Amino acid sequence: MSEWRKDPVVDRWVIISTERGKRPFDYKEVEEKRKIQVCPLCEGNEKLTPPEIAAYRTVGTAKDSPGWRVRVVPNKFPAVKTEGEAALRQRGVYACMSGTGVHEVIVESTVHEPGLDTQPVAQVEEVIRMWRDRLLKLRKDKRFKYIHIFKNTGQAAGASLEHVHSQLIAMPMVPAEIRLEIEGMKNYREEKGSCVMCDMIRQETAEKVRVVADGEMFLCFTPFASRFPFETWILPKEHLHDFGAIRAEQLRELASVLRDTLKMITAAVKNMPYNLILHTSPVNQDEERIYHWHIEIIPRLTVMAGFELGTGCYINPTPPEMAAQSLREARESLLPDDMGVRGGEPACLTGR
Amino acid sequence: MSEWRKDPVVDRWVIISTERGKRPFDYKEVEEKRKIQVCPLCEGNEKLTPPEIAAYRTVGTAKDSPGWRVRVVPNKFPAVKTEGEAALRQRGVYACMSGTGVHEVIVESTVHEPGLDTQPVAQVEEVIRMWRDRLLKLRKDKRFKYIHIFKNTGQAAGASLEHVHSQLIAMPMVPAEIRLEIEGMKNYREEKGSCVMCDMIRQETAEKVRVVADGEMFLCFTPFASRFPFETWILPKEHLHDFGAIRAEQLRELASVLRDTLKMITAAVKNMPYNLILHTSPVNQDEERIYHWHIEIIPRLTVMAGFELGTGCYINPTPPEMAAQSLREARESLLPDDMGVRGGEPACLTGR
């Protein structure tokens, strides 16, 4: 059984695999393990994963067989376990709780491709809809306080399977990153009376230098204090705290903006490794309407080292203004057919 | 000129290289650049570095020539620049300041070796003394609020030069990690009336399972909520906030404990990549006597991915209890001669 442990000094939770821990020897074998012969996420190999939790499939096709377009399965090596109460136990100065949580894999295509950028916009739309559906489903479990949805693409970004997929971890606490964001948003609102993210959208739209794509409902830009080269955020222009409440037309535009952004990023640097992180309000507690949900795309060209780990500060060798320009230039280099075209109409990105 | 930029939501500072930014093309060349022909840190190549700032040398030898044992030079590609006022400028929602700071490289041996673990204890002692000397010197500059000293060993830990060295970055603000630690220590003290680190030392000494080495003045253990496999901390047993005030006998024992710990870590997993981070109290402000200085050694066998970056939480596949046992076993496998022997006496680690 795994265990959540809390650092006694700072608000930092760690999932410790107490059950099947890795000894020094296991780390020496890492390279070997990467050479997987058969991909368990490919269409036709459904029996190689644990039983399916959810899927969008052609009517009449059976669970755990071909016919799906997006498929959700439990992580075969979950960091957390579904059973157990999320009750804090104190052991002297230390606090811990059982490793309660849910760890799911969202398979984003039937085909063995590494990136979401090569998928049609309609497919990306189904992926985002599945994120929403799983969020709505899992927050009915009152033990969970945050549903974390993310993607690791490329080895440097921590992907252990090449086949295009995202992950979901339901957690029994609000993690520090989200708590600190909420705190920052509250402080800003108290001081200025407005949402800092809404104000950022206004300033970015006016200044233009960091804008990558300006849609009707979403703004895509490289943040002023980008931690990583080519870091790119996508924000709904409307103040919305809850990704779970995304509307159909927003979902459609988001799919197009996200797909095209990933295309630009991978065009700028070939095989760019990146993490994609959905930031949304916590669940099952006082609603945090103050929050402004968004997506952060974090390319992993630099290594987080002793400076970053020790201070929480970052060194970014690519100014976001230069990154945005490079991404806009990358868009120019792509063929119109490459970009999000839906029903003959250019996607929001290409048209503006 | 580089620039410090602050995230408008959370307390996160980023150094942006606004002057000589890296375009997409530069990242494609990373592999090429690693193949350095001549090591600028080796004895005899002193002219390849910027002029020496400080050194421990044989009497009569000249600056920027052989004869040194530990040598400090400016980083050739500094993340920050010494000139400039540390004054905050507001640009709409965003805050920034000029990239004020100091970025130094401490060359830890004349010989081209990658790790501090292969150095004699006396050499490690001189390295630690140099860290102290630089800290004491740089805090005289009132612009600086924190002196961050760290080591990156191995590519996965962000080392760009193989030759054994550490780095120092003097910063015009107290970084979030240190600020959050101080906050946590304050909260604990208010609640319990004692120092959380002192209480941890008491509990670890009693429980023993996570202890790697128990010296007279220092305790070395794997923290209860270890973020990384084989993460190891070294704490002075006495409550001391300021590393700069380290006494001669403490410096001597710390050298021995640190050298032997690094030996165990690299014996457990060959070529273990790791960061070493010195955590000490801020400088030039209300003294933070509440702080308890310590060293964190962070092996980098796992990749920080979308879970870690999005939540600030970690998944650690090696329980610290198992890590401590592996490190103690690794010590057994080392020859007595390998370990810290000083004047015929076994070092604190081996003797206890």
Side-chain angles (χ1 to χ4, degrees):
Chain A
M1 185 64 187
S2 63
E3 184 172 79
W4 287 99
R5 293 187 180 183
K6 191 175 185 306
D7 185 272
V9 183
V10 295
D11 177 14
R12 187 168 61 211
W13 286 91
V14 178
I15 304 170
I16 304 270
S17 304
T18 48
E19 190 178 58
R20 199 181 45 89
K22 280 191 176 178
R23 299 186 157 272
F25 182 76
D26 297 308
Y27 291 100
K28 292 169 188 161
E29 286 188 321
V30 168
E31 283 315 306
E32 287 306 303
K33 283 186 188 156
R34 285 200 173 275
K35 289 174 200 145
I36 292 170
Q37 305 297 322
V38 181
C39 173
L41 305 189
C42 278
E43 186 172 37
N45 298 342
E46 290 80 6
K47 302 291 183 229
L48 298 179
T49 67
E52 179 174 314
I53 295 168
Y56 299 147
R57 6 176 99 257
T58 308
V59 181
T61 59
K63 215 185 140 191
D64 295 321
S65 74
W68 54 276
R69 299 181 302 280
V70 177
R71 184 171 178 255
V72 183
V73 295
N75 193 308
K76 204 168 181 174
F77 306 102
V80 283
K81 296 276 175 72
T82 311
E83 314 81 53
E85 273 308 300
L88 208 63
R89 289 192 308 278
Q90 202 72 28
R91 296 195 215 159
V93 281
Y94 304 124
C96 59
M97 57 168 97
S98 68
T100 306
V102 165
H103 192 171
E104 299 180 348
V105 172
I106 297 112
V107 192
E108 301 179 333
S109 168
T110 54
V111 183
H112 193 86
E113 298 249 12
L116 204 51
D117 60 293
T118 53
Q119 301 299 316
V121 171
Q123 179 69 17
V124 176
E125 195 180 324
E126 289 213 291
V127 167
I128 300 172
R129 182 176 297 118
M130 186 60 94
W131 293 347
R132 184 202 59 185
D133 288 359
R134 295 310 301 156
L135 173 68
L136 293 179
K137 174 79 177 172
L138 284 163
R139 73 180 174 197
K140 288 183 183 157
D141 188 329
K142 301 298 177 200
R143 292 174 305 170
F144 300 136
K145 305 299 177 214
Y146 192 74
I147 314 291
H148 181 56
I149 294 169
F150 63 101
K151 264 180 81 65
N152 303 333
T153 301
Q155 271 195 33
S160 50
L161 289 169
E162 197 185 48
H163 191 120
V164 65
H165 69 284
S166 40
Q167 296 181 68
L168 176 155
I169 295 185
M171 307 170 65
M173 73 283 288
V174 180
E177 275 295 306
I178 302 298
R179 204 181 47 69
L180 291 171
E181 277 184 324
I182 291 172
E183 223 173 85
M185 289 181 194
K186 269 189 185 149
N187 291 343
Y188 187 93
R189 190 177 282 272
E190 272 166 28
E191 201 185 321
K192 313 263 175 144
S194 54
C195 165
V196 59
M197 293 290 211
C198 291
D199 284 359
M200 275 165 71
I201 289 170
R202 257 186 294 277
Q203 187 166 343
E204 294 301 341
T205 308
E207 290 188 3
K208 287 194 177 68
V209 284
R210 284 175 296 271
V211 170
V212 175
D214 187 359
E216 194 184 321
M217 292 168 269
F218 289 90
L219 185 70
C220 174
F221 62 93
T222 55
F224 177 77
S226 291
R227 291 157 286 181
F228 299 91
F230 307 102
E231 180 174 347
T232 307
W233 293 6
I234 302 173
L235 273 72
K237 291 184 173 182
E238 195 182 333
H239 182 80
L240 296 165
H241 67 289
D242 177 15
F243 166 74
I246 191 170
R247 297 189 300 272
E249 73 273 18
Q250 289 172 327
L251 216 152
R252 210 153 43 231
E253 190 183 288
L254 177 59
S256 166
V257 173
L258 174 58
R259 210 287 306 261
D260 291 358
T261 303
L262 294 178
K263 254 198 195 316
M264 287 185 251
I265 283 173
T266 46
V269 177
K270 205 178 164 226
N271 298 325
M272 176 91 88
Y274 65 87
N275 301 111
L276 179 153
I277 297 161
L278 176 65
H279 285 239
T280 183
S281 57
V283 298
N284 293 320
Q285 50 178 359
D286 297 340
E287 266 190 63
E288 304 283 8
R289 292 191 177 276
I290 211 162
Y291 200 76
H292 194 128
W293 81 258
H294 61 282
I295 285 174
E296 299 186 1
I297 301 164
I298 299 183
R300 299 294 296 279
L301 297 166
T302 47
V303 177
M304 291 178 71
F307 178 66
E308 288 78 7
L309 287 171
T311 61
C313 299
Y314 291 78
I315 299 173
N316 181 356
T318 300
E321 296 75 19
M322 185 189 279
Q325 196 191 331
S326 296
L327 293 177
R328 291 190 303 258
E329 283 167 12
R331 181 173 62 207
E332 299 302 317
S333 75
L334 292 165
L335 296 172
D337 279 2
D338 285 339
M339 301 304 279
V341 175
R342 293 180 61 85
E345 281 298 301
C348 62
L349 282 183
T350 45
R352 284 156 206 272
Chain B
M1 185 63 187
S2 63
E3 184 173 80
W4 288 98
R5 292 187 181 183
K6 190 176 186 304
D7 185 90
V9 183
V10 296
D11 177 14
R12 188 168 62 211
W13 285 92
V14 178
I15 304 170
I16 304 269
S17 305
T18 48
E19 190 178 59
R20 199 182 45 91
K22 279 192 175 179
R23 301 188 155 270
F25 182 75
D26 297 309
Y27 292 100
K28 293 168 188 162
E29 286 189 321
V30 168
E31 282 316 305
E32 286 306 302
K33 283 185 188 156
R34 286 201 172 275
K35 291 173 200 146
I36 292 170
Q37 305 297 324
V38 181
C39 173
L41 305 188
C42 278
E43 186 173 36
N45 297 342
E46 290 79 8
K47 302 290 182 235
L48 297 179
T49 68
E52 182 173 311
I53 295 168
Y56 299 147
R57 13 173 96 255
T58 308
V59 180
T61 59
K63 215 184 141 193
D64 296 321
S65 73
W68 53 276
R69 299 182 302 280
V70 177
R71 183 169 179 257
V72 183
V73 295
N75 192 308
K76 204 168 180 175
F77 307 101
V80 283
K81 295 277 176 71
T82 310
E83 315 82 52
E85 272 309 300
L88 207 62
R89 288 191 309 277
Q90 201 73 28
R91 295 195 216 160
V93 282
Y94 305 123
C96 58
M97 57 169 97
S98 68
T100 307
V102 165
H103 192 171
E104 299 180 348
V105 172
I106 298 112
V107 191
E108 301 178 334
S109 168
T110 54
V111 183
H112 193 85
E113 298 250 11
L116 204 51
D117 60 294
T118 53
Q119 301 299 317
V121 171
Q123 179 69 16
V124 176
E125 194 181 325
E126 289 213 292
V127 167
I128 300 172
R129 182 175 298 119
M130 186 59 94
W131 293 347
R132 183 201 60 183
D133 288 359
R134 295 310 301 155
L135 172 68
L136 293 178
K137 174 79 179 172
L138 284 164
R139 73 180 176 198
K140 289 183 183 157
D141 188 328
K142 301 299 177 201
R143 293 174 305 168
F144 301 135
K145 304 299 177 213
Y146 193 74
I147 313 290
H148 181 55
I149 294 169
F150 63 102
K151 264 180 80 66
N152 303 333
T153 301
Q155 272 195 34
S160 50
L161 288 170
E162 199 186 47
H163 191 120
V164 65
H165 70 285
S166 40
Q167 295 180 67
L168 176 155
I169 295 185
M171 306 170 64
M173 73 283 288
V174 181
E177 275 295 307
I178 302 299
R179 204 183 46 71
L180 291 171
E181 277 185 323
I182 291 171
E183 222 174 87
M185 290 180 193
K186 268 188 186 152
N187 291 342
Y188 187 94
R189 191 177 280 273
E190 273 166 27
E191 201 186 321
K192 313 261 174 147
S194 53
C195 166
V196 58
M197 293 291 212
C198 291
D199 284 359
M200 275 166 70
I201 289 170
R202 257 186 294 277
Q203 187 166 343
E204 294 300 343
T205 308
E207 291 188 4
K208 288 195 176 67
V209 285
R210 285 175 295 273
V211 170
V212 175
D214 187 359
E216 194 184 323
M217 291 168 268
F218 289 90
L219 185 72
C220 173
F221 63 93
T222 55
F224 177 77
S226 291
R227 291 156 288 180
F228 298 91
F230 308 101
E231 180 173 346
T232 307
W233 292 7
I234 301 173
L235 272 72
K237 291 184 174 184
E238 194 182 333
H239 182 81
L240 296 165
H241 68 289
D242 175 16
F243 166 74
I246 191 169
R247 297 189 299 271
E249 72 273 20
Q250 289 172 326
L251 216 152
R252 210 155 41 234
E253 189 183 288
L254 178 59
S256 166
V257 173
L258 174 59
R259 209 287 305 262
D260 291 358
T261 303
L262 294 178
K263 254 199 194 315
M264 287 185 249
I265 283 173
T266 47
V269 177
K270 203 177 163 224
N271 297 325
M272 179 89 90
Y274 65 87
N275 302 111
L276 180 152
I277 298 161
L278 176 66
H279 285 239
T280 183
S281 56
V283 298
N284 293 320
Q285 49 178 0
D286 297 340
E287 264 190 66
E288 305 283 7
R289 292 191 177 277
I290 211 161
Y291 200 77
H292 194 128
W293 80 259
H294 61 282
I295 285 175
E296 300 187 3
I297 301 164
I298 299 183
R300 300 293 297 279
L301 297 165
T302 48
V303 176
M304 292 180 70
F307 178 66
E308 288 78 7
L309 287 170
T311 62
C313 300
Y314 290 79
I315 299 173
N316 181 355
T318 299
E321 296 76 18
M322 184 188 279
Q325 196 191 331
S326 296
L327 293 176
R328 290 190 304 257
E329 284 167 12
R331 182 174 59 206
E332 299 302 317
S333 75
L334 291 167
L335 295 172
D337 278 3
D338 285 340
M339 301 303 280
V341 175
R342 292 182 62 84
E345 282 298 302
C348 61
L349 282 183
T350 46
R352 285 155 207 271

